[in-house]
Amino acid sequence: MSVNQQAHTGPPYGQPQPGYQGYQQPAYGGQSLPGAPQQYGAYNGPMPGYQQPVPAQGYFPSLGFPSKGSPVSLNSDTSSLAPNFIGSLRAPPTSGAPPPASGASHPSGPVAYSQFEHGDVQNGIPASTAPMQRPPASQPFLPGSAPTPVSQISTFQQYGPPPASVQQLRNHMAGMTIGSTAASAPPPAGLGYASVPPVSGSCSATGSGLYTPYSASQGPPPASVSQGLPLAQPPFPAQTIPTQRLPAQVPGFTPPPPSAGVGPSSYPPTTGAPRPPAMPGPPLPGQTVAGPPSSQPNHVSSPPPPSTMAGLHPGPPMSGLHGPPPPTHPPQPGYPMQQNGSFGQMRGPQPNYGGAYPGAPNYGSPPGPPPPPKRLDPDSIPSPIQVIEDDRNNRGSEPFVTGVRGQVPPLVTTNFLVKDQGNASPRYIRCTSYNIPCTSDMAKQSQVPLAAVIKPLATLPPEETLPYLVDHGESGPVRCNRCKAYMCPFMQFIEGGRRFQCCFCSCVTEVPPHYFQHLDHTGKRVDFYDRPELSLGSYEFLATVDYCKNNKFPIPPAFIFMIDVSYNAVKSGLVRLICEELKSLLDYLPREGNMEESAIRVGFVTYNKVLHFYNVKNSLAQPQMMVVSDVADMFVPLLDGFLVNVNESRTVITSLLDQIPEMFADTRETETVFAPVIQAGLEALKAAECAGKLFIFHTSLPIAEAPGKLKNRDDRKLVNTDKEKTLFQPQTSFYNNLAKDCVAQGCCVDLFLFPNQYLDVATLGVVPYQTGGSIYKYAYFQLETDQYRFLNDLRRDVQKEVGFDAVMRVRTSTGIRATDFFGAFYMSNTTDVEMAGLDCDKTITVEFKHDDKLSEDSGALLQCALLYTSCAGQRRLRIHNLSLNCCTQLADLYRNCETDTLINYLAKYAYRGVLSSPVKTVRDALINQCAQILACYRKNCASPSSAGQLILPECMKLLPVYLNCVLKSDVLQPGPEVTTDDRAYIRQLVTSMDVAETNVFFYPRLLPLTKADVDSDALPAAIRNSEERLSKGDIYLLENGLNIFVWVGVSVQQSLIQNLFGVSSFSQISNALSTLPVLENPFSKKVRSIVDVLQGQRSRYMKLIVVKQEDKLEMLFKHFLVEDKSLTGGASYVDFLCHMHKEIRQLLS
């Protein structure tokens, strides 16, 4: 039936919400929005005369999202059922008893949290592979078999001011039809919406262990979310099912079947901005938080302003619906039902909760008061936790054998072993799809980017074998004559083994006499298994002198430590800390496997406005200092004695490190230079004729008179304008030219920043970024809280495996070619990726495009070749090969995609986009591309069903939730407390992250610590990133690769607080803790071991932040609950899914 809709206005998608009290925000043109109510009275049904703001031009207010056409008329097509669909809609809270869940009875006793154990995390996202077809995560329900809801619900609020009337609230839901079945059910009773008046600065909730979420009446349009099955299975026949038809109301959803039990998540979030607090005043479901946080996550530097925000009121009581009582079924294993994270006991009725659904309405008579719309049940939409857990259970026990072409690997979050049998391990290369379209037309139609995330020097777990080193002597590796591809398992030997045909370009090449070997009856060489390059996907060749600079074998690299000794660095204790640490750290310089000591030489420089070089030659009794004050024309005042062997010069070096803090103890010099410091290191390496790395410890904006001098250009007013992109660009081209010189010499720069104010990371980061180096940032560095994190980062940075003077080239078989590259490197031509240094954590992301047709028979091949100098000065080639399938059917493409890799690529693409386009344009392009990917699937691969159903490909069902996390990240949607430097830092960091790091960065891992089994090694099962999952009687840990938050609920048992923090009450827990106290009890040991496990999985030492519920720091923590709506205007997961559905429908119509 078609419903005439009265427009409900909400602000355009992705914009901050107007009219929150105390949180003035400009409208589109910069002026504040008219007509937003200051405060809402208690909501008892429609309010006459409630002023609504005027809708923004070009937006259809019924959904509060940008829209191209008119609002969709609601067509309740309930008789047909999509082959696979999810979920049940939830009614919003009304006064009275909670509605029972039809189709699921609640046990009265406690329910176990989860029977799954949480293994160690390694790598991935869902993959339906040819050999290993993953079972579908959703199947149809037949009447009589009732699913149990997946544990816990995620919050969900509406965009913009609340609807003025029930009619508007209903219109807000219109525009989606939802397939419904007899098993479709309102969710379990009492799903905890707080409806207690919050007091400013505190929050409370009645009768529930809940952690005051937002009101359920705040709702966007629902979407029928159905997940497309792997198309290997026939669609299910449609079923005609009687459903309630309500005026202007959307029929229900069914929750997913138990193939989706709840389990641990691991990995990513956004960083920075917090989630909305509620406003003081009349009873509102919500909560308030006031005051700025006193400590920030790793990259966040300045505290947000206190802000308050209006919560919305529960809808009117439900009436006029009657019907039979729902059938009950026992819960199924693996789905312990929980309300809102109150694990165990089911709670009784909640205040302001609707009563049971009395039966089917009478269509002939006029309806009574209109019922409130159903709410999209967060448990009915795809859950990252569920997908991760399923993959662990299905694929974590068997080794991943790489012998088969086009196999989709397990997820990055699954702990699995790899057996190399001819294709590179997924630890080295992951692709967005393992089955690529045969033609460019098909690729354009699907819009799925074809990309590989390559981590050439990735660290392997101890159980896996490192790549073998092959030495072919003076003749060097065997290569194709035409395209210069290296010998690999896919080369075809012909003519009895005398020649081989290249698998990349089809050219035939003579086999060198020393390499000749006979073929067996299958055409394979008889030494096939003796040669790594014929039987393995990854291996190394020893390079000959032809592969070396100036045809000379390289000298082992050098490390130069360059320490800022200006007033700030000395006063904070940083200089003394660095000098003390270096005394012992120099014993741990990287070395080749069997070497007694490292071949790396070291040098030392200190600087403020001038540079001080130190002669630490072993024959000296005391170190000598030489000052270069002419910073405009930098030179190195000594050659002999500057770069030395640590063991030979140990006493002189120790003496120097003791003297530096004393020499500069009384300095008054506050100004620093920066570019001359890099130039000095570069000149020293040039003079020594070697590659190397500069470790620069720097504290402030370089304003002293010198080359590369910078000015403070920070301007928050540029955010959300066309000039915002200038904040991400370097303010001078000087550093780009300097980076080019560094790359030519093999001089890599690692930068440790300790800012107390703006220091222009976008500009200072250019040289580290383009030389393949790293940036570490410790805002407002304080010795007592930050030294542990800094020292851990420094130790790992100095000790990790690095390849110097590196060049990487990616070759492909005919039909596709590498067209675009993302990462920390420099390119002087279109094919060679040049890096002064490449470490074991860095990735290079490569995008491929078609330049011809591919064939299903031969597939497609990639070969990544990395030429580099090892830390012992050995020139090597590391080769990684990967074979992919090709398809003529879109269904095969969608069945073999890897969502985590896709998100990694899309984030990098978007983060590069902000350098040249307005952020809004970048966001819109991301949404549009993903809508096109999903619309193409819907149109070409899903079986016909009502347009009102959202159907997602099985292995892309998490694309909307993860994409929303990218859109809400600080680079694309910063909160008021996120500084320009934070955004530039995060932008550079993400650009060279691997897939496991972006996964946990964008969707953080949230673990209930109080559920941890102290007698087991397993991590507790993760829960979804939403405030609704938190119980105030529990303690949770959230990690995103940069920070670890420990959130303590206000009602946590005193004994737990004593065991973990060593204090007797909640109020005594200190926010200033940077490590957990070492206490001798099982709970403390377990939590500290969990923290250690997580720290060990990440490339950087995460900052620990303790957050008490209702504390001012909590706003910061809530920013990482990425399934909820964010204070900066970012959509909740449910809202965004509805928005994506609308975009897809528009594309299809």
Side-chain angles (χ1 to χ4, degrees):
M1 75 195 148
S2 181
V3 177
N4 294 326
Q5 300 182 340
Q6 173 188 347
H8 158 70
T9 56
Y13 171 68
Q15 295 298 323
Q17 305 163 343
Y20 291 127
Q21 209 169 1
Y23 197 77
Q24 190 59 43
Q25 296 201 333
Y28 244 43
Q31 72 280 25
S32 63
L33 282 166
Q38 284 310 299
Q39 189 163 313
Y40 310 121
Y43 186 21
N44 295 316
M47 291 169 64
Y50 186 76
Q51 166 146 13
Q52 290 284 18
V54 189
Q57 195 58 40
Y59 286 89
F60 282 96
S62 59
L63 294 171
F65 285 119
S67 159
K68 302 178 185 73
S70 59
V72 189
S73 74
L74 180 58
N75 176 11
S76 187
D77 169 18
T78 53
S79 59
S80 74
L81 170 64
N84 17 307
F85 51 90
I86 331 174
S88 93
L89 284 171
R90 154 120 18 100
T94 54
S95 58
S102 85
S105 73
H106 301 299
S108 54
V111 179
Y113 176 62
S114 164
Q115 85 271 39
F116 299 125
E117 290 197 344
H118 186 314
D120 279 338
V121 182
Q122 277 287 10
N123 273 355
I125 201 104
S128 319
T129 73
M132 304 185 209
Q133 191 79 29
R134 183 175 292 115
S138 59
Q139 288 137 2
F141 292 111
L142 305 174
S145 75
T148 328
V150 183
S151 65
Q152 315 140 338
I153 322 91
S154 95
T155 24
F156 149 55
Q157 303 90 23
Q158 114 196 27
Y159 273 81
S165 66
V166 180
Q167 175 62 35
Q168 285 183 330
L169 198 57
R170 274 192 283 111
N171 294 337
H172 203 49
M173 308 295 287
M176 312 263 162
T177 1
I178 298 183
S180 142
T181 95
S184 78
L191 286 165
Y193 293 94
S195 1
V196 179
V199 187
S200 179
S202 73
C203 62
S204 53
T206 51
S208 67
L210 91 146
Y211 173 45
T212 59
Y214 313 105
S215 139
S217 62
Q218 302 168 255
S224 150
V225 182
S226 329
Q227 298 158 356
L229 294 170
L231 294 164
Q233 310 180 3
F236 296 92
Q239 300 169 354
T240 310
I241 294 165
T243 52
Q244 303 173 339
R245 284 187 180 251
L246 309 177
Q249 175 175 325
V250 188
F253 273 6
T254 35
S259 68
V262 175
S265 132
S266 9
Y267 306 21
T270 46
T271 29
R275 213 148 298 279
M279 87 205 254
L284 303 175
Q287 76 292 347
T288 58
V289 181
S294 62
S295 98
Q296 287 82 25
N298 250 334
H299 66 283
V300 173
S301 347
S302 67
S307 62
T308 50
M309 188 157 141
L312 299 181
H313 307 272
M318 294 161 61
S319 59
L321 299 177
H322 301 286
T328 59
H329 296 272
Q332 295 169 356
Y335 272 89
M337 291 176 294
Q338 289 116 16
Q339 265 85 40
N340 195 44
S342 328
F343 307 94
Q345 292 299 128
M346 295 295 159
R347 291 199 316 280
Q350 297 286 301
N352 281 346
Y353 228 86
Y357 274 96
N362 177 347
Y363 290 115
S365 60
K374 288 182 175 179
R375 169 188 182 221
L376 188 56
D377 176 4
D379 280 341
S380 68
I381 58 183
S383 155
I385 306 301
Q386 192 55 57
V387 170
I388 286 166
E389 182 57 40
D390 288 348
D391 193 76
R392 281 206 180 114
N393 293 336
N394 296 333
R395 306 196 63 185
S397 51
E398 293 295 309
F400 178 68
V401 181
T402 71
V404 182
R405 183 176 83 190
Q407 253 189 127
V408 185
L411 302 192
V412 282
T413 44
T414 297
N415 191 18
F416 61 99
L417 271 182
V418 179
K419 286 196 173 156
D420 184 342
Q421 290 191 0
N423 282 293
S425 160
R427 304 193 206 289
Y428 294 124
I429 307 183
R430 275 187 179 266
C431 294
T432 52
S433 178
Y434 287 79
N435 201 334
I436 59 181
C438 281
T439 65
S440 61
D441 290 347
M442 205 171 138
K444 284 192 187 92
Q445 187 185 356
S446 74
Q447 286 287 308
V448 176
L450 305 176
V453 179
I454 305 174
K455 194 175 181 182
L457 298 178
T459 309
L460 299 184
E463 312 85 274
E464 293 178 19
T465 317
L466 292 171
Y468 289 100
L469 180 59
V470 179
D471 183 358
H472 282 317
E474 290 193 10
S475 57
V478 179
R479 303 176 70 176
C480 165
N481 273 345
R482 184 197 290 157
C483 72
K484 301 296 182 218
Y486 293 87
M487 180 54 66
C488 72
F490 312 115
M491 297 291 190
Q492 188 67 46
F493 286 89
I494 54 175
E495 296 176 24
R498 286 190 296 281
R499 306 168 85 186
F500 68 90
Q501 183 168 24
C502 177
C503 52
F504 294 95
C505 70
S506 303
C507 173
V508 173
T509 301
E510 294 280 337
V511 173
H514 71 89
Y515 197 70
F516 173 77
Q517 187 52 270
H518 295 286
L519 308 184
D520 66 12
H521 64 285
T522 63
K524 262 186 187 173
R525 284 173 54 124
V526 294
D527 63 352
F528 175 80
Y529 290 108
D530 302 332
R531 292 196 176 270
E533 72 274 21
L534 299 182
S535 53
L536 299 177
S538 301
Y539 42 87
E540 293 198 314
F541 291 120
L542 204 53
T544 58
V545 75
D546 307 335
Y547 292 86
C548 301
K549 231 184 239 170
N550 308 324
N551 278 5
K552 275 175 24 192
F553 281 113
I555 297 171
F559 283 0
I560 304 177
F561 297 91
M562 316 187 89
I563 305 167
D564 174 347
V565 288
S566 64
Y567 177 75
N568 276 346
V570 174
K571 184 190 67 171
S572 66
L574 180 63
V575 173
R576 186 174 297 280
L577 182 68
I578 293 167
C579 292
E580 280 303 313
E581 177 61 27
L582 286 179
K583 287 182 201 170
S584 55
L585 187 54
L586 294 177
D587 288 332
Y588 296 96
L589 298 177
R591 58 177 186 260
E592 296 283 302
N594 52 5
M595 289 172 60
E596 287 290 307
E597 62 175 49
S598 174
I600 292 172
R601 290 166 301 157
V602 297
F604 302 89
V605 173
T606 55
Y607 68 94
N608 39 47
K609 273 202 323 199
V610 298
L611 276 76
H612 322 107
F613 292 80
Y614 297 94
N615 184 344
V616 283
K617 196 172 178 179
N618 58 356
S619 56
L620 295 174
Q622 283 294 319
Q624 294 172 347
M625 169 168 149
M626 298 184 187
V627 180
V628 176
S629 51
D630 182 7
V631 290
D633 183 19
M634 185 44 62
F635 68 98
V636 179
L638 73 160
L639 288 181
D640 192 29
F642 179 63
L643 293 178
V644 296
N645 174 293
V646 174
N647 285 339
E648 289 171 10
S649 297
R650 180 171 303 281
T651 50
V652 194
I653 291 172
T654 305
S655 170
L656 170 67
L657 294 172
D658 284 334
Q659 289 175 38
I660 287 174
E662 308 308 328
M663 264 191 289
F664 299 99
D666 301 323
T667 184
R668 284 281 165 268
E669 186 54 74
T670 55
E671 292 188 358
T672 57
V673 295
F674 184 69
V677 181
I678 297 175
Q679 286 171 325
L682 171 61
E683 291 302 323
L685 294 177
K686 268 187 187 164
E689 296 185 341
C690 68
K693 186 182 270 198
L694 312 182
F695 296 84
I696 302 180
F697 305 92
H698 190 78
T699 59
S700 59
L701 190 71
I703 53 172
E705 217 35 73
K709 172 186 173 180
L710 301 178
K711 60 179 192 291
N712 187 337
R713 51 155 188 170
D714 190 19
D715 188 357
R716 291 305 302 265
K717 293 196 286 294
L718 298 182
V719 176
N720 292 328
T721 69
D722 283 352
K723 287 192 177 159
E724 184 171 5
K725 61 189 175 205
T726 59
L727 298 175
F728 295 111
Q729 298 163 353
Q731 59 173 285
T732 160
S733 63
F734 181 87
Y735 288 94
N736 295 73
N737 297 327
L738 181 54
K740 184 178 170 182
D741 295 340
C742 286
V743 172
Q745 181 54 42
C747 169
C748 176
V749 177
D750 280 358
L751 181 56
F752 292 81
L753 295 172
F754 305 87
N756 289 332
Q757 58 200 20
Y758 178 75
L759 49 56
D760 202 348
V761 173
T763 306
L764 297 188
V766 167
V767 179
Y769 184 67
Q770 293 192 14
T771 59
S774 305
I775 305 178
Y776 298 85
K777 181 163 160 283
Y778 310 88
Y780 305 112
F781 178 81
Q782 288 180 311
L783 210 57
E784 56 280 6
T785 54
D786 296 317
Q787 66 165 329
Y788 198 62
R789 179 164 60 103
F790 161 59
L791 293 179
N792 272 283
D793 284 342
L794 177 59
R795 286 166 196 157
R796 190 165 190 281
D797 196 58
V798 168
Q799 294 174 43
K800 66 186 173 188
E801 183 187 356
V802 185
F804 293 94
D805 224 344
V807 185
M808 187 183 101
R809 182 177 285 195
V810 178
R811 292 178 173 84
T812 53
S813 53
T814 312
I816 52 169
R817 61 193 170 87
T819 54
D820 209 349
F821 300 85
F822 304 81
F825 53 74
Y826 174 78
M827 290 187 82
S828 55
N829 57 34
T830 56
T831 54
D832 293 342
V833 175
E834 299 174 46
M835 294 154 289
L838 172 68
D839 65 48
C840 55
D841 299 320
K842 296 279 189 306
T843 64
I844 294 96
T845 302
V846 185
E847 186 180 8
F848 303 98
K849 291 263 165 63
H850 286 76
D851 56 6
D852 204 346
K853 280 199 172 114
L854 294 164
S855 92
E856 279 186 289
D857 298 336
S858 54
L861 299 174
L862 320 175
Q863 184 178 80
C864 161
L866 176 78
L867 175 65
Y868 70 99
T869 301
S870 74
C871 58
Q874 203 174 47
R875 201 71 175 146
R876 295 181 178 179
L877 284 151
R878 181 169 289 199
I879 312 295
H880 297 296
N881 302 287
L882 187 63
S883 60
L884 302 173
N885 286 329
C886 297
C887 58
T888 52
Q889 299 297 314
L890 282 165
D892 291 327
L893 163 70
Y894 282 100
R895 206 181 286 133
N896 291 281
C897 285
E898 235 263 284
T899 303
D900 284 334
T901 311
L902 191 56
I903 288 291
N904 179 286
Y905 165 82
L906 290 171
K908 290 171 180 177
Y909 185 79
Y911 281 16
R912 186 174 69 184
V914 298
L915 291 172
S916 52
S917 308
V919 171
K920 185 179 184 308
T921 310
V922 172
R923 293 166 50 82
D924 292 347
L926 268 183
I927 294 171
N928 185 44
Q929 180 166 6
C930 288
Q932 287 188 326
I933 290 172
L934 297 174
C936 174
Y937 173 80
R938 175 63 192 262
K939 183 177 172 188
N940 298 290
C941 309
S943 47
S945 59
S946 146
Q949 282 172 318
L950 173 59
I951 301 181
L952 302 169
E954 175 58 25
C955 55
M956 276 192 194
K957 63 186 179 190
L958 298 182
L959 188 60
V961 62
Y962 287 164
L963 178 70
N964 190 35
C965 296
V966 174
L967 293 169
K968 293 201 290 190
S969 64
D970 291 334
V971 173
L972 299 182
Q973 198 165 36
E977 81 296 352
V978 182
T979 66
T980 306
D981 275 346
D982 294 335
R983 297 177 74 196
Y985 173 64
I986 289 300
R987 196 192 75 76
Q988 292 200 6
L989 205 56
V990 168
T991 306
S992 47
M993 274 186 183
D994 71 9
V995 180
E997 288 173 316
T998 51
N999 177 270
V1000 77
F1001 180 74
F1002 290 115
Y1003 192 94
R1005 177 152 54 163
L1006 182 59
L1007 305 175
L1009 294 179
T1010 23
K1011 300 288 170 283
D1013 178 357
V1014 293
D1015 300 320
S1016 139
D1017 288 340
L1019 297 179
I1023 59 173
R1024 290 172 67 172
N1025 276 307
S1026 167
E1027 190 175 351
E1028 249 181 37
R1029 313 280 169 172
L1030 303 180
S1031 150
K1032 62 182 180 183
D1034 287 320
I1035 302 174
Y1036 299 86
L1037 179 149
L1038 182 145
E1039 64 122 353
N1040 74 339
L1042 292 183
N1043 304 292
I1044 290 181
F1045 291 91
V1046 175
W1047 183 90
V1048 187
V1050 75
S1051 310
V1052 171
Q1053 290 173 8
Q1054 188 248 327
S1055 61
L1056 283 175
I1057 291 174
Q1058 182 72 52
N1059 284 344
L1060 188 57
F1061 299 104
V1063 294
S1064 55
S1065 71
F1066 179 80
S1067 59
Q1068 290 175 304
I1069 299 172
S1070 163
N1071 279 19
L1073 288 175
S1074 58
T1075 53
L1076 293 171
V1078 178
L1079 303 171
E1080 287 302 313
N1081 65 72
F1083 185 59
S1084 171
K1085 285 178 182 168
K1086 177 65 182 174
V1087 172
R1088 283 182 288 113
S1089 83
I1090 290 173
V1091 170
D1092 291 344
V1093 166
L1094 301 183
Q1095 293 283 22
Q1097 289 169 359
R1098 306 286 168 236
S1099 62
R1100 289 169 182 245
Y1101 197 84
M1102 294 181 279
K1103 178 175 185 173
L1104 185 99
I1105 301 172
V1106 175
V1107 178
K1108 298 197 286 187
Q1109 186 179 359
E1110 299 169 18
D1111 189 73
K1112 52 185 184 255
L1113 261 179
E1114 199 182 30
M1115 278 172 68
L1116 185 62
F1117 170 76
K1118 286 181 186 173
H1119 174 61
F1120 297 94
L1121 299 175
V1122 290
E1123 288 197 22
D1124 296 341
K1125 194 166 191 172
S1126 71
L1127 197 62
T1128 51
S1132 69
Y1133 175 19
V1134 174
D1135 289 10
F1136 184 70
L1137 197 60
C1138 298
H1139 176 60
M1140 283 302 286
H1141 187 200
K1142 185 163 155 288
E1143 293 278 320
I1144 292 165
R1145 291 181 65 172
Q1146 268 173 354
L1147 288 171
L1148 292 175
S1149 60

